[in-house]
Amino acid sequence: MKINNIITRDNPFYVKSPDFIIMDNVISEAYQDWLIDCIKNEDLMWHRKDHAITEMLPDDPRNGFCNFHYLYEIDKGGELSQLCNAFMPLALEFRTKLKCECLLRMRVNCVPSYPTQQIQLPHVDSYVKGAWNVIYYIDNSNGDTVIYNERTQDPNRYMEMAKADKFTEMTRITPKKGRAVAFKGDLFHASTLPIKTWRPVLNINLSEQVPVNPHFLGEKAELTRPEITQILFKHNDFKFNQIFENTI
């Protein structure tokens, strides 16, 4: 059964499906407009990837182009952009609502307009237990996010399922300025190419607890989702360092 949970800033954050939550107007309209202005800055640096999902399936036409602006990634030195603090209030908002203690990754993804729509390659973002993915739609667009029923936390199983390509749709979300969707991190999902408009989103990955073993992703994750990182909120840095030292 599909559950469509639309939650606004004026409603309590208590109605949710076991797997996903959809929130409208999660931040004020003034904040929404300001974030759009931030990413439209002509001096903003973007990193292009021709195979945005994985380097392991370069010939799959759904594994296409995307621009990334990296905000915070611990394996690349922590804060990577002056815009990091501009988006951090959003991450903290979801940290509270989802009861997550660990920020795994935060970046802006931007896909340009395409002549035809195509659903991209289904994938998972991490293999961390208790993980959540959050997609905040920075502007209106027409490229839906599709969430599937299939899931995995096994890197090897991920590749098998991606190649088998037998996915069933759980729900889909149309991008709308100020809207966000949070869903369980082990669920396969995919974006859709937009027509006649751009598709800018903020992608946040969190987990309910600090991963016990930060090396869990390790080499296998590099083979499948090389972008996966273990990123914490600043006030958890000391706790992370203790855990990291205990696992070397």
Side-chain angles (χ1 to χ4, degrees):
M1 179 178 68
K2 294 184 179 180
I3 305 174
N4 190 29
N5 297 319
I6 304 292
I7 303 170
T8 70
R9 297 177 71 230
D10 299 324
N11 292 334
F13 197 96
Y14 70 93
V15 180
K16 62 180 183 180
S17 80
D19 291 315
F20 70 90
I21 311 162
I22 303 171
M23 298 152 276
D24 274 345
N25 298 319
V26 68
I27 56 176
S28 69
E29 187 171 358
Y31 188 13
Q32 295 173 29
D33 292 338
W34 183 66
L35 290 180
I36 291 177
D37 289 339
C38 286
I39 67 169
K40 282 185 174 180
N41 189 322
E42 293 181 356
D43 295 326
L44 191 65
M45 180 181 293
W46 293 93
H47 300 266
R48 62 168 292 148
K49 292 191 68 176
D50 292 324
H51 305 124
I53 306 302
T54 176
E55 297 297 335
M56 295 297 291
L57 298 171
D59 297 327
D60 194 312
R62 300 167 300 167
N63 186 18
F65 168 83
C66 185
N67 285 310
F68 294 93
H69 182 73
Y70 302 104
L71 295 168
Y72 198 161
E73 307 216 14
I74 202 170
D75 64 343
K76 297 177 182 176
E79 288 189 24
L80 301 177
S81 170
Q82 293 181 346
L83 282 185
C84 182
N85 287 336
F87 286 93
M88 190 58 74
L90 263 172
L92 292 171
E93 185 82 9
F94 295 117
R95 173 185 181 270
T96 301
K97 290 178 175 11
L98 300 173
K99 296 181 172 58
C100 288
E101 292 300 322
C102 177
L103 176 64
L104 303 175
R105 178 181 69 182
M106 187 165 62
R107 60 176 58 169
V108 179
N109 304 350
C110 187
V111 178
S113 173
Y114 275 77
T116 58
Q117 283 195 321
Q118 182 182 44
I119 297 176
Q120 296 298 281
L121 187 67
H123 61 277
V124 294
D125 282 359
S126 76
Y127 310 114
V128 177
K129 183 178 180 180
W132 283 85
N133 303 329
V134 178
I135 298 175
Y136 169 73
Y137 300 102
I138 300 175
D139 203 357
N140 296 316
S141 187
N142 52 38
D144 288 357
T145 298
V146 183
I147 302 175
Y148 299 97
N149 292 299
E150 290 70 30
R151 62 182 75 212
T152 187
Q153 287 189 314
D154 183 339
N156 294 320
R157 181 65 177 149
Y158 161 76
M159 289 303 300
E160 293 174 3
M161 296 175 71
K163 291 178 179 179
D165 197 21
K166 296 180 179 179
F167 297 101
T168 58
E169 183 176 322
M170 177 188 297
T171 191
R172 63 174 59 208
I173 304 93
T174 298
K176 177 185 176 184
K177 178 184 171 186
R179 173 175 290 172
V181 56
F183 54 98
K184 292 293 183 67
D186 60 348
L187 286 169
F188 276 84
H189 59 282
S191 63
T192 305
L193 298 178
I195 296 178
K196 297 181 179 180
T197 184
W198 67 339
R199 188 181 187 276
V201 303
L202 177 68
N203 181 238
I204 307 173
N205 301 118
L206 311 99
S207 63
E208 295 172 357
Q209 297 180 353
V210 177
V212 174
N213 184 351
H215 297 287
F216 174 72
L217 296 176
E219 184 177 336
K220 291 182 179 179
E222 287 293 321
L223 293 175
T224 54
R225 296 287 289 160
E227 305 86 6
I228 297 169
T229 55
Q230 308 270 331
I231 302 166
L232 308 185
F233 291 103
K234 290 182 179 179
H235 66 269
N236 276 332
D237 280 351
F238 178 71
K239 185 176 182 181
F240 174 79
N241 289 334
Q242 286 182 317
I243 294 172
F244 188 83
E245 291 170 0
N246 291 336
T247 56
I248 292 178

